[in-house]
């Protein structure tokens, strides 16, 4: 982000903060406070790139979140959405891929502070110790987690989730067997690695194009409790709780603050995601909506 845009975002966030906070408190009193889920990939002070945040930046994020929000797990996010009981501003922390650097600072920090975290792992990379393709393409094949590290994280209370077997783009996959391999069999692999049930799935890339009906059906059939997208959105009560919406934990602190103050433009601009989960659930449309009891959130500036 350019310095000019960053300054503008800082100014907007400061000016809007009192109004947004008042409207968020009103929604919380009604049990309708939006719930945030941020996602990260790699926390490290070496080889910075678009999916890496420094140790100091991550610490600043966590300090801010602990000071101003309740830190909860994905299961609690779902409970609040499903029961329409969201009375506090809350955030859930997640990670994607499975970078080895994360066990040096980020995970010990979260474990020491008792902060819930869901850590989504690409199983083939961990099992075979293969660097991620996007890092190889940049000429920097960064280390991935080992099976032992993933197991230790699980034993320490970190929720381990599935991020496919090979970090695939589901918008380009149409073979049912490949989809099943990347979802159901990847889940089986991961459960064998950690010796416990895997409850959540996160789509690589996580944009609307990747959230295909075929993949979501297999997610449901495989016994997952829910799936995560990554296109940037909030979790609102009375909506579909199976789809967990996340935003990127951007290194720019101003962006994090803007997301967490609940930017109404992002609510209005959220894309519609439709899918069907037979036989237990019917057609689902997961478009951003705010009920009539909280119209002020949608109209905030």
């Amino acid at each position: 982000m350019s310095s000019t845009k960053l300054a503008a975002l800082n100014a907007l966030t400061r000016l809007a903060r009192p109004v947004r906070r008042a409207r968020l408190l009103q929604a919380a009193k009604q049990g309708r406070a939006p719930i945030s889920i941020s996602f990260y990939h790699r926390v490290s002070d070496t080889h910075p790139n678009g999916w890496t945040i420094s140790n100091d930046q991550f610490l600043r994020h966590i300090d801010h979140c602990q000071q101003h929000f309740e830190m909860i797990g994905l299961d609690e996010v779902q409970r609040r959405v499903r029961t329409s009981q969201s009375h506090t501003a809350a955030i859930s922390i997640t990670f994607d891929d499975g970078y080895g650097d994360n066990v040096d600072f980020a995970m010990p920090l979260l474990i020491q502070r008792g902060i819930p975290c869901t850590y989504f792992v690409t199983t083939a990379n961990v099992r075979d110790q293969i660097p991620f393709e996007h890092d190889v393409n940049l000429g920097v094949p960064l280390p991935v987690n080992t099976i032992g590290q993933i197991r230790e994280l699980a034993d320490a209370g970190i929720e381990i989730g599935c991020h496919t077997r090979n970090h695939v783009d589901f918008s380009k996959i149409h073979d049912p067997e490949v989809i099943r391999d990347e979802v159901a069999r990847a889940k089986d692999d991961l459960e064998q690695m950690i010796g416990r049930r895997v409850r959540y799935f996160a789509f690589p890339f996580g944009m609307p194009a990747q959230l295909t009906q075929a993949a979501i059906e297999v997610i449901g059939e495989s016994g997952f409790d829910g799936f995560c997208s990554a296109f940037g959105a909030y979790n609102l009560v009375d909506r579909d709780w199976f789809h967990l919406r996340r935003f990127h934990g951007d290194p720019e602190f101003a962006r994090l603050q803007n997301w967490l103050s609940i930017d109404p433009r992002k609510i209005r601009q959220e894309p519609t995601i439709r899918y069907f989960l037979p036989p237990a659930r019917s057609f689902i449309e997961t478009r951003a909506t705010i009920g009539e009891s909280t119209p002020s959130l949608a109209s905030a500036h």
Side-chain angles (χ1 to χ4, degrees), residues 81-283:
V81 171
R82 183 164 44 191
T83 63
S84 300
Q85 296 297 317
S86 182
H87 292 284
T88 60
I91 183 171
S92 189
I93 304 295
T94 68
F95 275 75
D96 286 359
D97 293 350
Y99 279 96
D101 306 82
N102 292 331
V103 302
D104 296 331
F105 179 80
M107 291 302 106
L109 174 69
L110 298 179
I111 292 168
Q112 180 184 19
R113 296 192 181 188
I115 296 174
C117 173
T118 304
Y119 197 78
F120 290 102
V121 175
T122 306
T123 61
N125 296 87
V126 169
R127 182 195 61 210
D128 300 330
Q129 288 296 281
I130 301 172
F132 298 109
E133 183 179 3
H134 41 271
D135 296 321
V136 173
N137 291 339
L138 289 178
V140 186
L142 297 168
V144 301
N145 289 124
T146 65
I147 293 177
Q149 289 171 339
I150 297 300
R151 187 179 297 118
E152 288 176 3
L153 291 178
D155 291 343
I158 298 295
E159 174 105 31
I160 304 299
C162 183
H163 198 45
T164 73
R165 179 173 277 177
N166 297 289
H167 203 275
V168 296
D169 181 343
F170 282 105
S171 69
K172 301 176 181 178
I173 297 178
H174 308 288
D175 185 335
E177 280 305 304
V178 176
I179 295 173
R180 187 162 299 278
D181 187 62
E182 294 292 341
V183 177
R185 297 187 184 106
K187 180 178 188 287
D188 293 341
D189 288 347
L190 192 53
E191 289 177 339
Q192 290 180 13
M193 289 181 191
I194 65 176
R196 49 174 48 84
R197 179 172 171 249
V198 172
R199 300 192 294 171
Y200 297 103
F201 181 91
F203 277 90
F205 309 102
M207 302 302 286
Q210 282 80 43
L211 309 183
T212 66
Q213 172 65 29
I216 295 173
E217 282 187 22
V218 178
I219 291 169
E221 293 167 0
S222 301
F224 284 101
D225 289 353
F227 70 87
C228 291
S229 59
F231 54 76
Y234 302 105
N235 298 278
L236 308 176
V237 299
D238 294 332
R239 294 174 64 183
D240 165 37
W241 51 264
F242 195 70
H243 173 196
L244 295 159
R245 301 149 188 84
R246 305 184 296 169
F247 65 83
H248 182 229
D250 195 283
E252 296 290 358
F253 189 64
R255 288 190 183 185
L256 178 75
Q257 287 183 305
N258 186 63
W259 269 109
L260 293 178
S261 67
I262 312 300
D263 187 336
R265 298 170 303 171
K266 298 182 185 301
I267 294 176
R268 292 192 295 265
Q269 295 168 5
E270 182 183 337
T272 298
I273 305 297
R274 297 185 177 92
Y275 64 92
F276 181 83
L277 278 181
R281 307 186 67 194
S282 58
F283 173 80

